[in-house]
Amino acid sequence: MRILIAEDDPAIASGLSAALADSGHAVDRVARGNDADAALHDGTYDLVVLDLNLPQLDGLTVLQRARARGESAAMLVVTAREGVSERVRALDSGADDYLVKPFVLEEFAARVRALLRRRVSQGIPMLSIGRLRLDLAGRRGWNQDAALELTGREFALLDALLSRRGSLVSREQLIEALCNWEQDITNNGLDIAIHRLRRKLDDTGVTIRTIRGLGYVVEETAAGAAAAGQRRA
């Protein structure tokens, strides 16, 4: 999933960005409120991590403008402002959660998972095809009942492919799902990631078919369809 971090403290922003990227999320970072406002106006995000004490345009104004435009991304406010009135103002302005600095990374990660679970539950919380099951909110996968060991990048690839099951997914769409503003993925890097993912899908009844010059399609193999039929029976 794509996440925007609006935080002017470089150390905090780097730590949060690294933690989210390790979980397979594509993360963009801004340090000023006007840049956060522009990013939300021009881009699409699943979650925004928003500091209130941003320069040029404060975080509360960014939040209010985003909600006024109909922005549906989950909003997690992280700030040193701990007063009850500050919490109430942020929540009434459209924040989904409020975390006071300093905080431990484990709590931050848990709140992110909770917000993304809530967001995913409004759509399709579990994707399945063949013997493969993918829990989008929990960032977990299974081959039948056996846990499937996936890196963050591999999970993001599967998410992008399965979310568009039955449709062609271009290389550009996959790269967009994997990269952020600060770190691009090369075409060679995408090829390597797909190759490794295919090896892990060998026994799941799922294959990633290449449409030369256009992109990829995730498909159920004959064995996967048979296994799915047996489960339904």
Side-chain angles (χ1 to χ4, degrees), residues 23-199:
S23 296
H25 300 294
V27 184
D28 297 329
R29 286 169 48 186
V30 294
R32 299 181 301 182
N34 57 323
D35 293 332
D37 187 55
L40 288 169
H41 184 273
D42 298 334
T44 301
Y45 294 94
D46 298 289
L47 172 69
V48 180
V49 180
L50 180 65
D51 182 19
L52 294 184
N53 296 316
L54 293 174
Q56 297 194 358
L57 192 67
D58 68 90
L60 190 65
T61 301
V62 173
L63 174 60
Q64 292 168 340
R65 287 188 179 187
R67 292 310 191 205
R69 290 193 299 265
E71 174 60 55
S72 62
M75 297 281 185
L76 172 58
V77 168
V78 290
T79 179
R81 302 180 189 177
E82 58 182 347
V84 173
S85 60
E86 296 286 356
R87 294 172 187 260
V88 171
R89 286 182 66 197
L91 293 170
D92 282 346
S93 295
D96 295 284
D97 200 357
Y98 194 104
L99 185 59
V100 176
K101 301 174 183 176
F103 51 81
V104 295
L105 199 55
E106 289 81 2
E107 181 181 5
F108 169 78
R111 289 176 184 257
V112 167
R113 289 193 298 269
L115 288 173
L116 292 178
R117 276 198 303 270
R118 197 178 308 162
R119 180 173 175 81
V120 169
S121 68
Q122 299 170 1
I124 305 174
M126 185 77 72
L127 296 175
S128 62
I129 175 175
R131 292 186 292 271
L132 176 66
R133 292 185 296 126
L134 206 63
D135 175 7
L136 298 183
R139 314 295 288 177
R140 297 173 296 175
W142 294 270
N143 178 6
Q144 200 81 343
D145 295 322
L148 194 61
E149 297 297 327
L150 297 169
T151 66
R153 177 166 288 183
E154 289 164 352
F155 190 96
L157 268 177
L158 267 180
D159 185 354
L161 288 165
L162 288 179
S163 296
R164 299 171 177 85
R165 179 181 173 183
S167 301
L168 177 76
V169 185
S170 69
R171 293 180 65 87
E172 291 74 17
Q173 287 174 313
L174 291 180
I175 289 174
E176 172 71 14
L178 296 180
C179 72
N180 54 45
W181 292 343
E182 298 174 348
Q183 184 178 15
D184 292 334
I185 180 173
T186 64
N187 279 315
N188 186 55
L190 178 61
D191 291 336
I192 291 171
I194 290 174
H195 172 72
R196 290 175 176 169
L197 180 57
R198 278 176 169 148
R199 291 175 59 186

